[in-house]
Amino acid sequence: MDAFFISVWILAAVINTGTSLTCTMCMSLNGANCVSTENETCKSTVTTCETVMLEFKIKENVTTALVRSCTRFPFDCKVPYRSFSGETFSFMFQVKCCDSDNCNTDVLSFPPRNSTKNGVQCPVCPVAVDATQCHSNGRNMECTGEETQCLFFAGKMLHPAGKFLQLAFRGCVHSDTCKEKIPPYPESRLEEGSTFQCSPGTT
Ligand SMILES: *[C@@H]1O[C@H](CO)[C@@H](O)[C@H](O)[C@H]1NC(C)=O
Ligand SMILES: *[C@@H]1O[C@H](CO)[C@@H](O)[C@H](O)[C@H]1NC(C)=O
Ligand SMILES: *[C@@H]1O[C@H](CO)[C@@H](O)[C@H](O)[C@H]1NC(C)=O
């Protein structure tokens, strides 16, 4: 090897160690916190660690999850809080991303649901599982707190327990949830081809 190749090789090694981030890793289903037993070395394309807290309520089933890891879905970091409320389906999502080794140790908690009506009304339907449509048949719900827009979703969404669910639902959504177009999996938890349609409600 001549000096040129040696220096390229050393440079590559330095860049490689310089970019491989380590994150605290743990997961708790239906628990408010999790204690790390492992550190995860991120893929070289991942530049942030995250703490994600989710609550997913479908019919009577509530699943909460707290996950610390290398950032799994890069789009997550763009919107730190999202929520949706419908008739038989709701979700809340909170994330904190950070970019230094093992920085993802934040203790998160959801703000209490703000149940003050905000004057916006949205079409609503009971969540339809394994379906691509759900009809409001003219029924509306009154939105509360910061949920000031309407959402129609039809598609596949990753459940916190790790499986994609085919769902259709309508209801009120936090305005931040609608700020940016959501790219499909693996950038986000929504499968390619899903409809995520925000619209202003009636007041
Ligand atoms: C993870 O890394 C931190 C900081 O380097 C260290 O204090 C901790 O012991 C590590 N945890 C495990 C489970 O290896
Ligand atoms: C709730 O979850 C359990 C276990 O995953 C499942 O067997 C049951 O069908 C679910 N119920 C509803 C109403 O979705
Ligand atoms: C709750 O929501 C209402 C209606 O949007 C708003 O006026 C109020 O400031 C919110 N309260 C808190 C504590 O955020």
Side-chain angles (χ1 to χ4, degrees):
M1 263 197 280
D2 66 20
F4 173 75
F5 284 106
I6 290 170
S7 58
V8 168
W9 179 79
I10 290 171
L11 190 63
V14 167
I15 289 170
N16 189 43
T17 50
T19 54
S20 99
L21 181 70
T22 301
C23 302
T24 292
M25 183 164 90
C26 61
M27 173 164 177
S28 144
L29 271 184
N30 302 316
N33 205 353
C34 66
V35 177
S36 172
T37 54
E38 236 179 294
N39 290 332
E40 180 183 18
T41 303
C42 306
K43 286 191 293 191
S44 62
T45 50
V46 176
T47 55
T48 53
C49 301
E50 65 182 1
T51 304
V52 172
M53 198 178 182
L54 288 150
E55 187 194 279
F56 201 93
K57 191 171 171 186
I58 181 161
K59 297 178 184 167
E60 295 311 309
N61 281 3
V62 185
T63 307
T64 60
L66 187 97
V67 183
R68 301 182 194 284
S69 67
C70 299
T71 295
R72 292 275 182 273
F73 307 104
F75 183 76
D76 277 359
C77 296
K78 298 224 165 143
V79 187
Y81 181 81
R82 283 174 241 169
S83 74
F84 168 85
S85 299
E87 204 167 49
T88 48
F89 180 71
S90 67
F91 67 77
M92 284 195 280
F93 169 91
Q94 201 178 8
V95 68
K96 190 131 186 233
C97 296
C98 55
D99 61 6
S100 59
D101 285 345
N102 300 310
C103 58
N104 55 330
T105 53
D106 305 277
V107 176
L108 300 184
S109 60
F110 285 121
R113 278 256 183 207
N114 180 342
S115 57
T116 306
K117 287 173 186 163
N118 58 31
V120 176
Q121 293 199 0
C122 290
V124 69
C125 57
V127 62
V129 181
D130 294 328
T132 56
Q133 189 51 270
C134 94
H135 297 284
S136 69
N137 296 319
R139 286 183 317 116
N140 281 344
M141 68 181 278
E142 294 187 286
C143 303
T144 58
E146 304 293 312
E147 293 181 350
T148 55
Q149 292 200 53
C150 305
L151 176 64
F152 167 59
F153 177 85
K156 285 194 174 149
M157 184 178 271
L158 192 61
H159 185 270
K163 206 169 71 170
F164 276 99
L165 297 179
Q166 171 71 47
L167 301 172
F169 55 84
R170 294 173 195 275
C172 305
V173 70
H174 193 290
S175 52
D176 285 356
T177 315
C178 298
K179 268 188 185 158
E180 277 193 69
K181 190 175 156 47
I182 304 177
Y185 181 87
E187 292 287 307
S188 79
R189 293 175 162 75
L190 304 184
E191 193 161 271
E192 177 112 51
S194 296
T195 301
F196 194 98
Q197 198 174 79
C198 292
S199 58
T202 51
T203 49

